[in-house]
Amino acid sequence: MSPYFLRTGALLLAILVIASLIGAVLHARTGGASETVHNLNARIRAWWVMVAVLFVAMALGPLATVVVFGFSSFMALREFLTLTPTKSSDYWALFLAFFVALPVQYVLLGVQWYGLFAIFIPVYMFGLISSASALAQDTEDFLSRNARIIFALMAAVYGVSHAPALLMLRIPGFEGRNVELLFFFTFTVQISDVLQYVFGKLFGRHKLVPRLSPNKTWEGLIGGALTTVVLGAALHGVTPFGPWVAALMAAQIVACGVLSGLVMSAVKRSLGAKDWGHGIAGHGGYMDRLDSITFAAPVFSHLVRYFWTP
């Protein structure tokens, strides 16, 4: 890890300390009676845990990082399919999703077999899971049931797995520093969500998509996006990009993250749920934290691979 990466980590630690102090002051002033302040402090505590886990995994090396993302994918897939209506005839399709598709995808990542990693789920598991569903001979609502399982797999496993896939890229002049690029991606996509929430709470007046996500506003989107792009440019030292390109890549992450979040909100609304789960205090479930990654990670990963690798 470069000194720049360590300084960035120290800055992130300072931000968390400041946020915790602000949360404590607000809690004292409101006497613990404000639901908004309670939710804010729960989010801050959860961020301490998530940041600590991610930094420890990155410090331990690529294998630990892949394991952390694999576990997160498992929990997200579990939340997704727990909310999704299934039948006993879907047993083998679900078995293949959890115990074949997910582990094999991350094993391929661990052994750095990129060619098969990129097509395993959308080609092989698409056909295998569909065949298992057909062989169950239950045609009632067949297309919807099968599509739900495959959609969950694409979102929670295929999309998310492209974040740690950054570790397998061989970028000339950036050897041994891929973990910093993964940090850039995860920090950008998550800080974008945080800043959109903050700007929305402070300045939000005009609803963005009230039927999908009532709390999202145009002010939150614009303020959060612009600030994230500036931060992306400032963090160019942990990437193989220059400042302007880092800003453009951050903009791509924000745009894909917003669209991904809206799609997942639409899925939740269609299932009659507000959150995917309750695994992360103040944030809902694992899928609630990974939803922005599902579109952003594959696009970012493929852009870097296309333009920055031989």
Side-chain angles (χ1 to χ4, degrees):
M1 295 184 187
S2 70
Y4 192 96
F5 178 75
L6 296 176
R7 289 197 297 271
T8 303
L11 177 61
L12 184 58
L13 177 63
I15 292 172
L16 285 172
V17 170
I18 293 171
S20 297
L21 291 174
I22 292 173
V25 170
L26 291 174
H27 178 80
R29 287 187 175 180
T30 60
S34 172
E35 183 64 28
T36 300
V37 173
H38 176 75
N39 182 265
L40 174 64
N41 283 322
R43 284 171 175 259
I44 293 170
R45 288 192 295 270
W47 272 113
W48 272 104
V49 176
M50 289 187 288
V51 168
V53 169
L54 187 58
F55 258 87
V56 169
M58 288 180 174
L60 290 175
L63 180 59
T65 305
V66 169
V67 169
V68 167
F69 274 94
F71 173 77
S72 299
S73 278
F74 176 83
M75 295 301 292
L77 183 65
R78 178 176 175 272
E79 290 172 349
F80 199 122
L81 292 175
T82 297
L83 287 180
T84 302
T86 55
K87 300 174 66 176
S88 58
S89 53
D90 296 320
Y91 173 82
W92 284 109
L94 293 171
F95 178 89
L96 290 170
F98 277 100
F99 301 110
V100 177
L102 190 153
V104 171
Q105 180 75 356
Y106 278 94
V107 167
L108 292 172
L109 180 58
V111 300
Q112 300 192 7
W113 189 351
Y114 181 83
L116 187 54
F117 164 84
I119 66 171
F120 178 67
I121 289 178
V123 176
Y124 293 100
M125 293 312 302
F126 170 71
L128 190 57
I129 288 175
S130 299
S131 299
S133 296
L135 290 171
Q137 303 184 67
D138 184 353
T139 59
E140 183 182 357
D141 201 26
F142 173 83
L143 180 60
S144 295
R145 289 180 8 247
N146 192 59
R148 291 185 194 113
I149 296 172
I150 294 172
F151 187 96
L153 197 58
M154 287 294 294
V157 181
Y158 187 75
V160 173
S161 67
H162 275 77
L166 293 168
L167 299 175
M168 74 166 69
L169 300 180
R170 291 176 173 82
I171 304 170
F174 201 70
E175 291 85 357
R177 296 180 57 191
N178 289 43
V179 67
E180 299 174 35
L181 187 60
L182 176 58
F183 169 80
F184 173 83
F185 171 78
T186 53
F187 177 82
T188 302
V189 74
Q190 295 298 334
I191 201 66
S192 173
D193 287 348
V194 172
L195 290 172
Q196 288 177 52
Y197 173 82
V198 171
F199 274 93
K201 286 293 184 181
L202 293 176
F203 308 110
R205 297 291 183 275
H206 302 89
K207 300 294 185 182
L208 179 63
V209 280
R211 293 181 62 185
L212 292 184
S213 187
N215 294 324
K216 289 187 181 296
T217 64
W218 281 104
E219 292 83 0
L221 172 62
I222 295 171
L226 291 177
T227 307
T228 300
V229 169
V230 172
L231 288 173
L235 287 172
H236 71 276
V238 296
T239 74
F241 323 133
W244 286 106
V245 176
L248 289 174
M249 295 298 275
Q252 171 266 309
I253 292 170
V254 172
C256 291
V258 169
L259 292 175
S260 182
L262 293 179
V263 169
M264 294 304 160
S265 291
V267 174
K268 282 191 293 185
R269 295 295 178 269
S270 72
L271 296 173
K274 180 179 180 295
D275 295 317
W276 287 105
H278 307 284
I280 305 176
H283 294 267
Y286 282 80
M287 196 68 229
D288 291 291
R289 285 274 40 89
L290 297 174
D291 58 0
S292 298
I293 292 178
T294 56
F295 288 4
V299 175
F300 181 78
S301 178
H302 288 301
L303 284 175
V304 175
R305 185 172 186 272
Y306 184 80
F307 288 106
W308 279 274
T309 63

